[in-house]
Amino acid sequence: MPEPLKNMFNKELITSLSREIKLVYEDFNSEAFHNSVFCEDWEQKELKERMEHISVQLHEYLPKNYLEAVEILKGVPSRSLGFAYMSFPGFVELYGLHDFEVSVSALEHFTRNASSEFAVRPFIRKYPDRMMGQMEKWAESDNHHVRRLASEGCRPRLPWAGALPEFKKNPAPVLKILEKLKNDESEYVRRSVANNLNDIAKDNPQLIIRLAKKWIGDTPETDKLVKHACRTLLKQGEREVLEIFGFARSDHIVIEELKVQKTVFLEGDLEFAFTLKSQDDRLGKLRIEYAVDFLKKNGKQARKMFKISEMEHPGQKKSVKKRHSFKSITTRKYYPGLHGLAVVVNGRELASDTFELKGRS
């Protein structure tokens, strides 16, 4: 199992952070700061909690004058701080909401080395028009990290951050920024644009469908952006979106010989296989997916889609063999019991079966 990201905030990192701050601010009490960071419940804190906790402790040991404290943090070089630098935008988020000009300047400075995407959101809530005007200016920055902040910071459903309900209802201010960035030279920025559009699609699907039809065919880079932006709509089998990318109806296709392993153990792999057969002369362009209906703690099932392939199939038949891992991951908890598996082709479920997940063998 991979090391949890929160463990990047270790003693070596905080020691490095303390050393760099003291070079800028000689009155910084490095030992007291270090001890206060690693408090009694440190091990129980998750990633965002650790980041916020460090920001709070910085406030304890920096000057109480906000402008003075921010200038000290801006003077700290980021080269040796790594992930610890993320607590600097967090400091602005917690203590700088009253000072728009100073805080916006600091967020722009910090985002070049540690994204201010979380920290900018309280400013959007408190100063919506003013902050979105600033984001439009950032969208024209010569620094790709700043341009990305213009998109990433206003995502309606940014992971690990509170939603922006006003943009879930009306994303027009966000779309003004994304329009500026859709042809950005940086894929890092364009990917953020796609993720933002995917957020919008969850609340305003028809809006994104219209936009996808408008943007598709502009450039290969924009086509890739649009495809990534439409990933949730594709998984939902939205017919108009499937057709944008050339996936016709799959009425001519049947599934033969769906075989699903009947029992799988936690930490093991589920094996399944099936054959696609066309009732016409060819299978055609297919988006082949499978869905797992995971058993939840409350006894209900929740479906998750997984893509197998997207390609043109000139033949009349195609056999598929696949494995799905039930090894422990941080983003999903598994519950033993009856699960479902379905094969989905071009947005249409063609066959399904069940299997039982058991505890470790």
Side-chain angles (χ1 to χ4, degrees), residues 179-218:
E179 185 74 40
K180 287 175 179 273
L181 296 172
K182 69 176 182 180
N183 293 316
D184 196 275
E185 63 183 15
S186 168
E187 185 173 1
Y188 178 59
V189 175
R190 296 196 304 272
R191 192 166 185 85
S192 175
V193 172
N195 288 335
N196 198 323
L197 291 170
N198 186 58
D199 280 6
I200 294 171
K202 295 173 183 178
D203 301 293
N204 301 273
Q206 289 303 314
L207 180 62
I208 299 306
I209 290 171
R210 290 195 299 271
L211 184 143
K213 290 178 179 179
K214 179 182 175 183
W215 286 8
I216 199 74
D218 188 4

Side-chain angles (χ1 to χ4, degrees), residues 21 41 67 82 94 113 126 167 195 299:
I21 293 176
D41 62 344
L67 177 57
L94 290 174
N113 296 290
K126 183 168 183 177
F167 293 154
N195 288 335

Side-chain angles (χ1 to χ4, degrees), residues 152-343:
E152 198 72 8
C154 62
R155 284 179 57 180
R157 293 169 171 264
L158 181 66
W160 296 350
L164 296 174
E166 63 273 27
F167 293 154
K168 290 168 71 174
K169 294 176 183 176
N170 176 24
V174 179
L175 291 173
K176 286 178 65 177
I177 291 171
L178 303 187
E179 185 74 40
K180 287 175 179 273
L181 296 172
K182 69 176 182 180
N183 293 316
D184 196 275
E185 63 183 15
S186 168
E187 185 173 1
Y188 178 59
V189 175
R190 296 196 304 272
R191 192 166 185 85
S192 175
V193 172
N195 288 335
N196 198 323
L197 291 170
N198 186 58
D199 280 6
I200 294 171
K202 295 173 183 178
D203 301 293
N204 301 273
Q206 289 303 314
L207 180 62
I208 299 306
I209 290 171
R210 290 195 299 271
L211 184 143
K213 290 178 179 179
K214 179 182 175 183
W215 286 8
I216 199 74
D218 188 4
T219 67
E221 292 77 18
T222 307
D223 287 355
K224 183 178 178 181
L225 183 159
V226 171
K227 182 76 173 294
H228 195 59
C230 290
R231 62 189 183 276
T232 295
L233 297 175
L234 285 167
K235 288 179 180 181
Q236 292 173 346
E238 283 283 350
R239 176 48 45 195
E240 285 185 86
V241 177
L242 286 161
E243 290 175 354
I244 289 172
F245 300 105
F247 300 110
R249 292 185 178 275
S250 56
D251 299 349
H252 64 296
I253 294 174
V254 295
I255 299 288
E256 294 182 340
E257 302 175 352
L258 172 61
K259 297 177 180 178
V260 180
Q261 181 180 327
K262 299 311 293 180
T263 302
V264 62
F265 292 93
L266 285 170
E267 303 301 326
D269 292 338
L270 173 75
E271 297 184 355
F272 62 97
F274 57 91
T275 299
L276 297 166
K277 182 180 179 181
S278 173
Q279 296 174 321
D280 295 339
D281 59 344
R282 59 199 297 274
L283 288 165
K285 187 176 182 180
L286 302 182
R287 176 183 171 93
I288 306 171
E289 301 168 283
Y290 69 96
V292 178
D293 296 317
F294 290 101
L295 185 67
K296 297 167 62 179
K297 186 177 182 179
N298 62 8
K300 296 181 180 180
Q301 290 183 331
R303 174 163 286 197
K304 177 76 175 176
M305 300 291 295
F306 301 90
K307 187 171 72 172
I308 297 176
S309 66
E310 284 185 354
M311 59 185 297
E312 187 75 34
H313 297 278
Q316 285 187 306
K317 274 191 175 186
K318 177 178 175 60
S319 295
V320 176
K321 290 183 179 180
K322 190 71 180 174
R323 291 186 175 197
H324 183 87
S325 173
F326 278 92
K327 289 182 172 57
S328 298
I329 55 175
T330 57
T331 54
R332 183 175 298 116
K333 184 171 177 59
Y334 299 118
Y335 296 94
L338 193 66
H339 289 54
L341 183 137
V343 178

Side-chain angles (χ1 to χ4, degrees), residues 57-91:
Q57 299 314 311
L58 285 172
H59 183 254
E60 288 296 313
Y61 295 98
L62 289 173
K64 295 309 174 196
N65 179 278
Y66 174 68
L67 177 57
E68 188 178 348
V70 165
E71 287 304 312
I72 290 169
L73 294 179
K74 286 171 72 173
V76 176
S78 64
R79 61 182 181 274
S80 60
L81 299 186
F83 218 60
Y85 203 73
M86 286 292 291
S87 294
F88 289 16
F91 182 90

